[in-house]
Amino acid sequence: MKIYRLLTEEDTSAFCHKVSLALSKGWVLHGDPQYAYDHANGVMRCAQAVTKEIEGEYHPDMKLGEQ
């Protein structure tokens, strides 16, 4: 089955590291990254969707980051 995550972070190298870590664990990019200005905190935020094929059934209490 395919599972989905949306990775988010401030627009710093931390975001790139978060995405790179997910890719190293078998996640695949899904679509283009998105950027938006966070007015409350005065920073740019990034988001990247990723997907992964796993064995078994989905359940809402899954820890997707541990897959």
Side-chain angles (χ1 to χ4, degrees):
M1 77 165 286
K2 187 178 282 193
I3 56 176
Y4 169 92
R5 290 175 67 193
L6 182 64
L7 305 174
T8 62
E9 184 71 52
E10 286 185 19
D11 187 13
T12 67
S13 62
F15 176 72
C16 296
H17 288 290
K18 186 181 277 190
V19 174
S20 295
L21 178 61
L23 294 174
S24 75
K25 292 183 175 183
W27 291 85
V28 178
L29 297 177
H30 181 79
D32 296 327
Q34 301 296 309
Y35 300 91
Y37 185 70
D38 178 349
H39 290 279
N41 295 299
V43 296
M44 289 296 291
R45 298 238 180 239
C46 305
Q48 174 65 59
V50 292
T51 61
K52 185 176 185 180
E53 287 287 336
I54 64 166
E55 304 240 350
E57 295 289 319
Y58 170 78
H59 50 89
D61 57 339
M62 291 176 83
K63 302 276 190 220
L64 296 176
E66 297 174 4
Q67 297 298 315

